[in-house]
Amino acid sequence: MNYILRTTNLFKIFKDKETITDVSMNIKKGEIYGFLGPNGAGKTTIMKMILNLVKPNSGEIEIFSEKLTNKSYETLKRNRVGAK
């Protein structure tokens, strides 16, 4: 199945504290997905990882079936992610 966004087992550690633990999600075209949680739950960190602004310690992110890498800014730009 084709997903516009897919994350698998995302983990992020800041200063020896696990802030994101084992986050996986699959979003199909046309779906609306929201993040709910208290302050400090990691919502912004997950979004920054999806936008390739923060690197996860482990796990994978795919946008339009392309895995994010250090060179993924071109993928994001080509698909107008974050464009105004």
Side-chain angles (χ1 to χ4, degrees), residues 40-51:
K43 302 176 296 290
T44 301
T45 301
I46 292 170
M47 291 304 299
K48 286 181 178 181
M49 287 191 290
I50 291 169
L51 292 171

Side-chain angles (χ1 to χ4, degrees), residues 5-44:
L5 175 65
R6 183 176 196 159
T7 69
T8 308
N9 304 324
L10 290 181
F11 282 85
K12 183 62 184 170
I13 300 170
F14 286 112
K15 298 181 182 177
D16 298 328
K17 183 180 180 211
E18 289 184 345
T19 56
I20 305 297
T21 306
D22 199 23
V23 173
S24 297
M25 67 179 110
N26 300 306
I27 302 175
K28 299 177 202 171
K29 184 177 181 179
E31 287 185 329
I32 298 172
Y33 203 89
F35 294 106
L36 299 174
N39 291 344
K43 302 176 296 290
T44 301

